[in-house]
Amino acid sequence: MYHLIVFLPLVGFLIAGLITLLGSKAHIPAPPDGHGIGDAGHDAHAAPSHAPHAAPGGHGVAHAFAGHPAPHGTGHDAHGHDAHGHDDHHDAAPGSRAAELVTTSLLVLAAVLSWVAFITVGFGDAGKETIDIANWFTSGTLSVEWSLRIDTLTVVMLIVVNTVSALVHVYSMGYMAHDPHRPRFFAYLSLFTFAMLMLVTSDNLVQMFFGWEGVGLASYLLIGFWFQKPSANAAAIKAFVVNRVGDFGFALGIFGLFVVTGSVSFDVIFAAAPSLGEQSMNFLGQEVNAVTVICLLLFMGAMGKSAQFLLHTWLPDAMEGPTPVSALIHAATMVTAGVFMVARLSPLFEQAPAALAFVTFIGATTAFFAATIGCTQFDIKRVIAYSTCSQLGYMFAALGVGAYSIAIFHLFTHAFFKALLFLAAGSVIHSVDGEQDMRKMGGLRKHIPWTFWTMLIGGLALTGFPFTAGYYSKDAIIEATYAGHNMFAGYAFWLTTIAALLTAFYTWRQIFMTFFGKPRASAEVMKHVHESPWVMVVPLLVLACGALFAGMVFHDPFMGHGYEHFWKGALYLGEENHILHEMHESPGWVPWAATVAMAIGALLAYYCYMLRKDVPGRLAEEHWLIYNFIYHKWYFDELYDFLFVRPAKWIGRFLWKKGDGWLIDGFGPDGVSARVIDVTNRVVKLQTGYLYHYAFVMLIGVAALITWAMFAGGGVH
């Protein structure tokens, strides 16, 4: 069964990839002027959504912050309609229908089998199981097996990855219905899923690294799916490069573990973990605690993959990919890899309290910082993207205080409501002719009721509304940080509580701007507003059920009375780690902190965007310095551009022009060839075509020959 779960997506990728290659010879007309790449391109931005140019003093800020339309044309997707509103779609690549049906069917089957595995392992008596596939390679003392590690943590990730991926595949059959390159798209989706499955089923760090890099490759291909768009290419490259920074640390951590344990196998590493706490190693010329440095290096990889503070800049730009890609990246693959990795290596991190404190600090900082940015964005997908960044911060804050099961529980519930929010946002975009700027929406509630109610459910779960999925998992994280003992636990409690308020504010701000009030779109757009087809609505309804009931149903197994029987040792808690008990001994006001913060945020959003719509603009104008700082994402992109991008481009250009062009080519092949040409240009001037010139040269030659014969040749005898 597990072979099928893991390798069915790979089979789908190979079939869809073969269809793509066989159909690539067919002529597919290019879209006019290079615009509208893809699907009648629901997400093919003509230009990014711009905020008003806020000059000192805040001029122009109020108008946009209050939710008025931006200038026409910004943030608009080429939706595949001509000037008269008729479809302007391209012919599909050969085999498109077959590719989507095969890949989707295989993913649905894998999802069903994943739920069977989840029930069998999580609620049955089966313990950890290792399924050997093959010996991958052996080099000296390093032997790496290709095998599947099956335990509760694995099967939880299997249902998250395969369920969301299957629903995204189904949804994409409607959303990408008019994209001429559907076989390639569905092949990439299946490759993405397979890479994530290899990561979560890995039994050693090398196999995990294979899946780790595989999801990085697939994300690059999908973010840049509409590769004719310069912005999509730039976003794909940015994601790839930023992740390489984190992956460098992850690779060093793997090397360090092999040095101190002599193995990359999880069982060997976990057995050796207790003895590593007192072991030292030489790192950068200094004697340091081995397990602390190794855990920090491993977490550096998680920071990149899971878009944590300092290595987060790639995640918002990933919105350049089609909306189903965003749902898959943000809910089930890629960004969850870092959280899973830290949870999987809990026996190691439990021996490194300093590293866990750093994890807590980064997680709490990310939760707060990303939530502030979400309050100022106008692109409907970017708001949700920063929400993902913030919620991942919550997960790492929980991991940092040792509440591993709560972090995985939030990962589990988050997958449902975050996939729901992204796919619902895609349904909104689909209905308004590809528009993504919320300032050009409004009044859509009655036009697209299924989308409205499902997005409302997703928003309620995200904010932690009582008895939704997020209420059980996110509130538990806030309680755990209060009960935590490391130096940043209190810091994490207050920042995650404030982030809960901000989360409610930007979530309700998004709902109010999108669905309520008077329509701000043009009359032509409003005339064509329509609900999405059922192939897109059904996945929304399924995910809405998960967003409503997943927390209620699975609360006890994940973190309650059924904890030990459910996890069966898949997550490790040290002898001094009693966080699951201590969090229930907190003062009575602590469990209410998140709910009160959520209510305050919702009321503020209602006041600002329903009752007094002038307030946001006025506040932004009065506090334009703070507003610009937050709107421009704390200026991280500008800072990194100044510190890294520009110097790297200058060095590259210098080496190109001076090193390669002037030095190597100038004094190498180009220099030699230039001198040969100079000489031959001078020699050919002797070929004048005049007989007397040739006779004169012959006379000079004879004279020179006689002279040489007389003096150099020893004289005439």
Side-chain angles (χ1 to χ4, degrees):
M1 177 173 69
Y2 295 105
H3 292 82
L4 290 175
I5 293 173
V6 173
F7 290 106
L8 281 176
L10 177 62
V11 173
F13 161 69
L14 294 175
I15 294 174
L18 182 62
I19 292 173
T20 303
L21 292 175
L22 294 177
S24 62
K25 296 180 181 180
H27 176 69
I28 301 176
D33 302 324
H35 297 299
I37 309 304
D39 67 314
H42 297 288
D43 296 19
H45 297 291
S49 180
H50 297 290
H53 298 288
H59 300 297
V61 175
H63 186 69
F65 201 90
H68 295 292
H72 178 71
T74 58
H76 189 277
D77 293 339
H79 190 65
H81 296 286
D82 60 20
H84 304 288
H86 300 112
D87 286 345
D88 184 25
H89 301 139
H90 307 302
D91 294 334
S96 294
R97 192 63 174 171
E100 62 186 16
L101 287 176
V102 169
T103 54
T104 303
S105 300
L106 293 177
L107 254 299
V108 170
L109 178 58
V112 172
L113 293 176
S114 297
W115 279 96
V116 173
F118 173 70
I119 295 171
T120 302
V121 175
F123 298 97
D125 296 325
K128 183 182 78 70
E129 180 183 0
T130 301
I131 302 174
D132 294 325
I133 297 176
N135 176 266
W136 191 1
F137 65 85
T138 300
S139 178
T141 60
L142 174 62
S143 179
V144 178
E145 301 295 324
W146 198 279
S147 55
L148 307 180
R149 184 185 185 91
I150 306 300
D151 59 12
T152 304
L153 181 58
T154 300
V155 295
V156 168
M157 295 303 298
L158 288 180
I159 61 171
V160 168
V161 174
N162 282 328
T163 301
V164 173
S165 183
L167 292 172
V168 167
H169 273 72
V170 173
Y171 178 93
S172 298
M173 292 174 66
Y175 192 85
M176 303 292 287
H178 302 293
D179 193 292
H181 307 288
R182 291 203 303 283
R184 179 165 58 90
F185 179 78
F186 280 88
Y188 289 168
L189 281 185
S190 294
L191 175 64
F192 206 171
T193 305
F194 168 71
M196 190 66 187
L197 292 175
M198 292 311 307
L199 191 157
V200 301
T201 59
S202 58
D203 193 42
N204 59 73
L205 285 167
V206 175
Q207 186 178 337
M208 178 180 279
F209 193 73
F210 168 80
W212 192 273
E213 295 303 306
V215 294
L217 168 65
S219 67
Y220 169 80
L221 295 173
L222 284 166
I223 293 170
F225 177 73
W226 290 314
F227 55 84
Q228 296 95 330
K229 271 201 312 173
S231 58
N233 277 326
I237 293 171
K238 185 176 183 180
F240 200 78
V241 171
V242 172
N243 272 275
R244 298 289 74 71
V245 176
D247 293 354
F248 177 68
F250 187 39
L252 290 180
I254 295 174
F255 299 156
L257 274 176
F258 180 71
V259 168
V260 298
T261 66
S263 176
V264 293
S265 170
F266 289 146
D267 288 337
V268 175
I269 292 170
F270 296 163
S275 64
L276 297 180
E278 304 300 325
Q279 189 171 339
S280 62
M281 64 184 296
N282 187 283
F283 183 72
L284 298 178
Q286 302 291 325
E287 286 295 319
V288 295
N289 182 266
V291 70
T292 299
V293 171
I294 288 171
C295 287
L296 287 173
L297 290 171
L298 293 171
F299 179 62
M300 182 177 172
M303 288 175 64
K305 199 65 68 182
S306 295
Q308 291 300 281
F309 186 68
L310 301 179
L311 293 180
H312 65 278
T313 53
W314 67 270
L315 191 63
D317 289 4
M319 298 303 97
E320 289 290 339
T323 297
V325 173
S326 303
L328 196 56
I329 289 177
H330 288 250
T333 61
M334 190 71 170
V335 296
T336 61
V339 179
F340 166 80
M341 184 265 286
V342 175
R344 172 62 81 197
L345 298 178
S346 55
L348 200 63
F349 277 85
E350 281 288 280
Q351 310 303 321
L356 284 178
F358 182 71
V359 173
T360 306
F361 171 77
I362 291 295
T365 303
T366 305
F368 170 76
F369 133 85
T372 62
I373 299 175
C375 294
T376 62
Q377 300 301 300
F378 294 104
D379 185 310
I380 190 172
K381 287 174 62 179
R382 284 182 181 269
V383 173
I384 306 173
Y386 278 106
S387 166
T388 299
C389 195
S390 180
Q391 296 306 304
L392 290 165
Y394 275 93
M395 297 175 205
F396 281 108
L399 292 169
V401 297
Y404 305 105
S405 63
I406 298 177
I408 296 299
F409 186 38
H410 193 51
L411 183 155
F412 175 78
T413 60
H414 176 263
F416 290 104
F417 59 74
K418 188 49 57 70
L420 174 59
L421 285 170
F422 265 112
L423 296 185
S427 184
V428 171
I429 295 167
H430 177 272
S431 70
V432 292
D433 200 24
E435 183 59 66
Q436 293 187 201
D437 192 333
M438 295 186 298
R439 291 167 293 186
K440 297 182 180 179
M441 297 180 186
L444 298 178
R445 177 167 52 95
K446 296 181 180 179
H447 297 276
I448 46 175
W450 288 109
T451 300
F452 165 69
W453 285 108
T454 53
M455 194 165 191
L456 179 64
I457 290 171
L460 291 172
L462 172 61
T463 62
F465 191 82
F467 308 113
T468 61
Y471 169 76
Y472 291 94
S473 57
K474 189 171 75 171
D475 288 22
I477 290 176
I478 295 176
E479 293 179 46
T481 56
Y482 183 88
H485 297 294
N486 71 48
M487 67 181 74
F488 291 111
Y491 170 85
F493 170 74
W494 289 109
L495 257 66
T496 52
T497 302
I498 297 171
L501 187 154
L502 297 174
T503 300
F505 177 81
Y506 67 66
T507 300
W508 283 104
R509 168 182 178 263
Q510 180 185 52
I511 291 172
F512 291 144
M513 290 185 69
T514 303
F515 295 105
F516 289 86
K518 295 180 180 179
R520 295 182 295 275
S522 66
E524 181 67 21
V525 170
M526 291 304 298
K527 186 169 64 175
H528 295 285
V529 170
H530 57 284
E531 185 60 270
S532 299
W534 281 106
V535 73
M536 294 170 62
V537 171
V538 169
L540 297 181
L541 297 175
V542 175
L543 290 169
C545 292
L548 282 175
F549 303 116
M552 187 184 306
V553 173
F554 296 105
H555 172 267
D556 283 346
F558 273 83
M559 50 177 283
H561 299 297
Y563 172 87
E564 293 182 354
H565 180 265
F566 179 73
W567 288 106
K568 301 180 182 68
L571 298 175
Y572 177 78
L573 297 179
E575 294 180 358
E576 300 179 359
N577 188 342
H578 306 291
I579 190 73
L580 295 179
H581 298 289
E582 293 173 348
M583 59 184 285
H584 297 299
E585 299 172 0
S586 303
W589 61 271
V590 173
W592 287 95
T595 302
V596 172
M598 177 271 297
I600 294 172
L603 290 174
L604 283 174
Y606 182 77
Y607 178 76
C608 293
Y609 290 93
M610 294 297 290
L611 297 181
R612 294 289 302 277
K613 297 183 180 181
D614 62 311
V615 170
R618 191 154 42 81
L619 288 175
E621 193 166 295
E622 292 173 0
H623 305 284
W624 63 270
L625 190 63
I626 297 175
Y627 171 75
N628 281 344
F629 177 74
I630 296 175
Y631 176 78
H632 288 95
K633 299 162 286 188
W634 293 29
Y635 288 102
F636 269 104
D637 283 328
E638 290 80 0
L639 178 63
Y640 287 173
D641 183 66
F642 175 77
L643 292 178
F644 304 114
V645 178
R646 292 184 185 181
K649 289 175 69 175
W650 183 88
I651 293 172
R653 185 174 181 82
F654 175 81
L655 293 176
W656 168 36
K657 292 294 186 180
K658 298 297 182 182
D660 189 39
W662 178 77
L663 180 62
I664 297 175
D665 286 346
F667 290 91
D670 288 352
V672 172
S673 64
R675 300 294 77 75
V676 170
I677 291 173
D678 288 344
V679 172
T680 55
N681 284 340
R682 286 175 172 80
V683 170
V684 297
K685 291 180 180 179
L686 297 176
Q687 303 294 326
T688 64
Y690 293 105
L691 183 60
Y692 61 87
H693 284 171
Y694 298 148
F696 178 73
V697 170
M698 292 174 63
L699 181 60
I700 294 297
V702 170
L705 181 61
I706 293 174
T707 301
W708 177 81
M710 290 177 61
F711 297 99
V716 179
H717 298 285

